Amino acid sequence: MRLLLSFLLLLQLAHATLPDDMTLQKMVGAMLIVGFDGTTIDKESQIVKDIERYNLGGVILFDRDFHHRERPKNITSPQQLKALTQQLKSFAKAPLFISVDQEGGRVARLKPVYGFLEIPSAAKMAKLPQKEVVTLYNKQSSMLREMGFNMNFAPVLDLAIEPKNKVIYQLERSYGDDPKKVAKLASILIDAQTAHNVLSVAKHFPGHGSSLSDSHKGFVDISTTWSKKELEPYRLLIKEHKLDAIMTAHVFNKQLDSKYPATLSRNVNQKLLRKQLGFRGVIISDDMQMKAISAHYSLKEAVTLAINAGVDILLFGNQLAHNATKEIVDTIISQVKAGKIALSRIKEANERIANLHTKQNIIQKPIIFKDERKAMTKAYIKQHYGLTPKDITITPKIIVEHWTAVMSLEDSFNRLYPQKLLTDRKDIAAASALNVSAHYLIDRDGTIYQLMPDNSMARHVIGLNYSAIGIENVGGEDNKKEDLTQAQIKANIALVKYLKAKYPSIEHLIGHYEYREMEKNPLWLEKDAGYRTKKADPGEKFLQAVREGVKDLALKGANE
C-alpha cells in the first residue's frame, strides 16, 4: 500500500511540473514539419488551422502527389508557388520553416517544366569547374529565397559507393566516393544557401550510399556494406561549424545498433552523432511515413523511439501515407504524460529549434575581408599578442557586447566595411591600420546582420580579440546615451543562445566597458601596456537585461 501511495505521489508531482495542454501542444507542434495537399490555402484550410493551433515547426512542399503523379500537390509555377508561401507566412504567428527537397537533377521539386531554373544533379556538379558550381548554387539559392523557402533538404552527403544503389547512386544524388570532395562541394551549396537565408539540412546520416534497397519501400540493412568512411563528410563539416541541421536515414546497421534503424537509435543519434562527432544542431528525421518505419512500428512506437533517440524535428510528408497533425500531437503528448517521453527532451528540442530559427533570421551583410585585411589581422596578432598563426581562425571563448555610438544601420556598417581604419580614429591608429570590425551588427528593430565569419578574428576589443566574438548594436548616441531598444535586447538574447550552442567553448559574456577587468585573465593577450581606451558601451542596463535573458547558460562575467 505504501509503495502504491508513493507511486501515485510521484505521478502527481510529474503531472504538476507539466505545462498546460495548450503550451504543451505548441511545444510539440514546433517539433513537426508536415506536408499537405493544395496549391493555394485560406483560413479554412486544415494546414492553416494546424499552423495556428499548434505553432507548427514547418511545412514541406512537393510538386506532385506521390500516388497520383498527374495530380499537382503544392507547386505548379513560380507565380503560384510564391503566392502559396506568402499565404503560409501570413497565417503563421510563430517562426515557420517552409521547406523543400531541391537537390538538383532528378530530385528537384522546382522543375524546368514548371518554369524554374534547371540545376544539374550532384554527380554532374562534381564534374564542373568549381567556379561554375558556385554560380549555379547561388542561382538556385536565390530562386529558393525568392519563392519563399527558408529551408532546403540538401546537401546530400552520401557517398557514391554502391553502383546498384537505386536511391542515391543511380539517381546521381551523390558528389562521389571521396569524402573530402563531397564535403567541399556540399560546403559550396551550404555557403550559397546561407548567403540567401536558406537553411541547409545535410542528409542522410549515417550514410545511405552503400545500401542496396530503398527505405521508402521497406527495411534497409546496411550492416555488411556500410563503412566508417561514410561518416567523414559529416565529421569534416561539423568540425568547420558548417552544419546546423542533419537528417537521419531509416537504415539499419548492426555495427551501430543491433535493434533499431538510425532514426530510432540512441546509439546513432546520441552516442555517434552528438558525442563522438560533436554535432550540436538540430536532428531531423527522414519522412516518418516511409515503409522502413511505418511497416514495422506503430505511430506511438515510432515517435516515442525517435524523440527519445534524440530526434528534434519529426518529418511527416503526407505523401506516402497520411497522418493528421492532431493525431501526431496527441500521440506525443499522451506519451509525455505517461512518462514515456521526458519533458526535458521536448524542452531540449525546442531550444535547438529556436536556435535554428535564430540562424535562419540572420542576414548576411559581409564587410570587406580580403587578403589585405587578413594580412593586417595576422600582423596585428603578431604585434599585440606575440603569436604567428597560420590563419586568423579563433576559438571563441568570450562574447563582447558593444554599441556603435552611431544611430544609423548603414552609417554603422559603412564605418566597419573598409579594410583600413578611418582617418577619424586617431585614438587607436598608432596601434594598427587594421579597421575595427565585429562579427554581428544588430539594428534597432532587432534585425541581426552577420558581417564576417564568427570564428575569424575581428578587431573590436583590446586584449581579447583572439578569443572574442563581437556584437555591435546600433545606438548609444554620442557614445553616452543608454538608448538601445527592447527589440535589440531580445535579439541579443537569441543570438547569444545560438552562439553558445554553436561554440560550447564560449564561457564569458561581457560588456565592452568591462574589458579591462579581464587583464588578469589568461585570455588577455595584449603586450602593449599603453594601449587602452575608456569605454561605456553597451550600457549597464542593456547588458544586465541580456544577462538575465541567458542566465540559464551560466556564462561568466568579466571578473569571474
Side-chain angles (χ1 to χ4, degrees):
M1 185 67 179
R2 191 173 292 176
L3 285 172
L4 179 60
L5 289 173
S6 297
F7 173 76
L8 291 172
L9 179 61
L10 287 171
L11 197 62
Q12 287 175 344
L13 288 171
H15 279 288
T17 61
L18 289 177
D20 61 80
D21 281 358
M22 185 175 293
T23 300
L24 193 52
Q25 283 179 354
K26 293 184 187 304
M27 292 174 71
V28 171
M31 297 171 64
L32 302 179
I33 292 178
V34 302
F36 64 95
D37 295 331
T39 56
T40 187
I41 57 174
D42 57 37
K43 63 181 181 180
E44 298 303 319
S45 302
Q46 186 59 51
I47 188 62
V48 172
K49 293 177 181 178
D50 290 343
I51 288 171
E52 292 179 339
R53 179 175 181 181
Y54 301 112
N55 277 4
L56 274 185
V59 295
I60 181 169
L61 304 188
F62 297 91
D63 55 334
R64 298 279 112 182
D65 184 288
F66 183 80
H67 296 292
H68 304 278
R69 304 304 294 176
E70 77 286 352
R71 184 186 302 168
K73 188 172 178 75
N74 306 121
I75 301 168
T76 61
S77 72
Q79 185 178 9
Q80 168 273 326
L81 176 57
K82 197 170 184 178
L84 177 60
T85 57
Q86 287 174 343
Q87 289 171 332
L88 286 164
K89 290 174 186 176
S90 71
F91 287 115
K93 300 297 184 287
L96 183 73
F97 297 125
I98 301 179
S99 65
V100 69
D101 283 299
Q102 180 67 22
E103 299 171 16
R106 292 176 65 179
V107 182
R109 311 306 180 203
L110 280 58
K111 294 180 171 64
V113 68
Y114 310 139
F116 297 102
L117 177 69
E118 183 171 10
I119 298 295
S121 67
K124 286 186 171 64
M125 283 288 197
K127 297 176 182 178
L128 297 176
Q130 183 173 311
K131 188 175 180 180
E132 192 171 344
V133 175
V134 171
T135 299
L136 284 167
Y137 277 150
N138 271 290
K139 286 182 178 179
Q140 175 174 266
S141 301
S142 177
M143 175 177 67
L144 287 169
R145 187 62 185 172
E146 185 182 354
M147 290 301 107
F149 291 105
N150 55 26
M151 176 181 280
N152 187 18
F153 291 113
V156 170
L157 298 187
D158 300 311
L159 302 183
I161 293 173
E162 175 51 67
K164 294 179 183 178
N165 179 300
K166 294 180 180 180
V167 72
I168 303 295
Y169 192 106
Q170 293 183 10
L171 291 180
E172 299 186 345
R173 298 173 69 189
S174 173
Y175 294 112
D177 61 0
D178 179 357
K180 289 184 179 179
K181 184 174 184 179
V182 169
K184 176 63 178 177
L185 290 166
S187 182
I188 293 172
L189 174 57
I190 292 168
D191 288 345
Q193 293 186 161
T194 298
H196 291 87
N197 286 87
V198 177
L199 291 167
S200 302
V201 181
K203 59 188 186 185
H204 306 80
F205 188 83
H208 210 319
S210 59
S211 67
L212 288 168
S213 48
D214 184 351
S215 54
H216 292 79
K217 298 177 180 179
F219 185 78
V220 176
D221 189 341
I222 58 171
S223 300
T224 60
T225 58
W226 183 87
S227 69
K228 290 184 178 180
K229 176 183 177 182
E230 296 180 58
L231 298 176
E232 277 307 297
Y234 294 94
R235 192 188 307 276
L236 292 167
L237 292 170
I238 289 170
K239 186 177 179 181
E240 294 175 9
H241 301 282
K242 289 278 189 178
L243 300 183
D244 295 296
I246 291 175
M247 175 180 280
T248 58
H250 301 324
V251 292
F252 176 77
N253 184 348
K254 67 181 179 182
Q255 295 184 53
L256 303 176
D257 193 309
S258 61
K259 188 173 182 180
Y260 296 114
T263 301
L264 311 183
S265 169
R266 288 176 188 263
N267 286 345
V268 172
N269 295 308
Q270 300 283 21
K271 292 182 180 179
L272 178 58
L273 183 53
R274 293 215 183 278
K275 290 184 179 178
Q276 291 184 33
L277 297 184
F279 180 64
R280 295 176 63 85
V282 169
I283 298 176
I284 303 179
S285 76
D286 207 339
D287 194 336
M288 296 294 288
Q289 293 161 333
M290 288 182 181
K291 291 293 185 181
I293 299 296
S294 63
H296 300 276
Y297 301 91
S298 68
L299 176 66
K300 181 189 290 188
E301 290 171 328
V303 298
T304 303
L305 287 166
I307 293 171
N308 287 339
V311 174
D312 302 305
I313 294 179
L314 300 170
L315 176 62
F316 286 84
N318 289 321
Q319 277 278 74
L320 305 170
H322 187 274
N323 292 97
T325 301
K326 183 180 187 303
E327 177 190 15
I328 303 167
V329 173
D330 287 351
T331 299
I332 295 171
I333 289 176
S334 70
Q335 290 297 84
V336 173
K337 289 183 175 180
K340 302 296 184 182
I341 298 174
L343 178 63
S344 60
R345 265 298 296 131
I346 304 296
K347 290 181 176 178
E348 180 183 59
N350 273 251
E351 288 170 3
R352 290 199 185 107
I353 293 163
N355 284 335
L356 193 58
H357 280 300
T358 297
K359 164 67 188 291
Q360 192 277 315
N361 287 319
I362 295 172
I363 297 172
Q364 300 300 307
K365 193 177 176 70
I367 57 176
I368 300 177
F369 223 100
K370 296 183 179 178
D371 290 344
E372 184 180 9
R373 196 171 200 153
K374 291 176 182 177
M376 286 193 290
T377 302
K378 285 183 181 180
Y380 185 101
I381 292 169
K382 185 171 184 178
Q383 178 185 348
H384 290 274
Y385 307 149
L387 304 173
T388 310
K390 292 181 180 179
D391 54 37
I392 61 170
T393 301
I394 65 170
T395 300
K397 296 184 178 179
I398 315 167
I399 296 173
V400 184
E401 296 280 1
H402 302 261
W403 66 32
T404 62
V406 177
M407 302 307 292
S408 156
L409 172 72
E410 286 306 316
D411 287 348
S412 299
F413 177 76
N414 289 338
R415 294 189 65 81
L416 301 169
Y417 183 77
Q419 301 190 94
K420 292 186 176 180
L421 198 64
L422 301 185
T423 56
D424 62 357
R425 292 305 308 270
K426 295 177 181 178
D427 56 330
I428 59 172
S432 174
L434 173 67
N435 194 17
V436 295
S437 55
H439 302 87
Y440 295 93
L441 177 63
I442 300 182
D443 202 358
R444 299 186 66 75
D445 65 358
T447 304
I448 304 171
Y449 297 90
Q450 184 166 2
L451 308 184
M452 58 180 286
D454 47 28
N455 62 346
S456 293
M457 198 194 94
R459 181 186 185 184
H460 63 100
V461 54
I462 294 170
L464 302 170
N465 291 312
Y466 203 58
S467 57
I469 292 176
I471 303 175
E472 288 278 1
N473 292 274
V474 176
E477 189 174 4
D478 295 326
N479 216 22
K480 295 178 182 178
K481 197 172 182 181
E482 291 203 28
D483 55 9
L484 299 182
T485 68
Q486 287 297 315
Q488 286 173 308
I489 291 172
K490 185 177 179 181
N492 275 269
I493 290 170
L495 182 55
V496 170
K497 287 183 175 182
Y498 163 73
L499 290 171
K500 174 59 178 174
K502 185 176 181 181
Y503 298 108
S505 55
I506 293 173
E507 298 176 348
H508 296 268
L509 172 65
I510 72 170
H512 197 190
Y513 68 89
E514 298 176 311
Y515 82 101
R516 293 200 62 179
E517 294 177 32
M518 295 195 72
E519 288 192 40
K520 294 181 180 179
N521 191 293
L523 296 175
W524 181 273
L525 300 178
E526 183 57 56
K527 293 187 173 296
D528 184 349
Y531 180 35
R532 306 288 188 275
T533 55
K534 188 175 181 180
K535 296 295 178 181
D537 57 316
E540 291 185 29
K541 291 180 181 178
F542 177 84
L543 185 62
Q544 184 179 353
V546 175
R547 279 183 170 148
E548 179 64 24
V550 299
K551 61 183 179 182
D552 57 313
L553 301 181
L555 295 171
K556 300 175 186 177
N559 51 12
E560 294 179 69

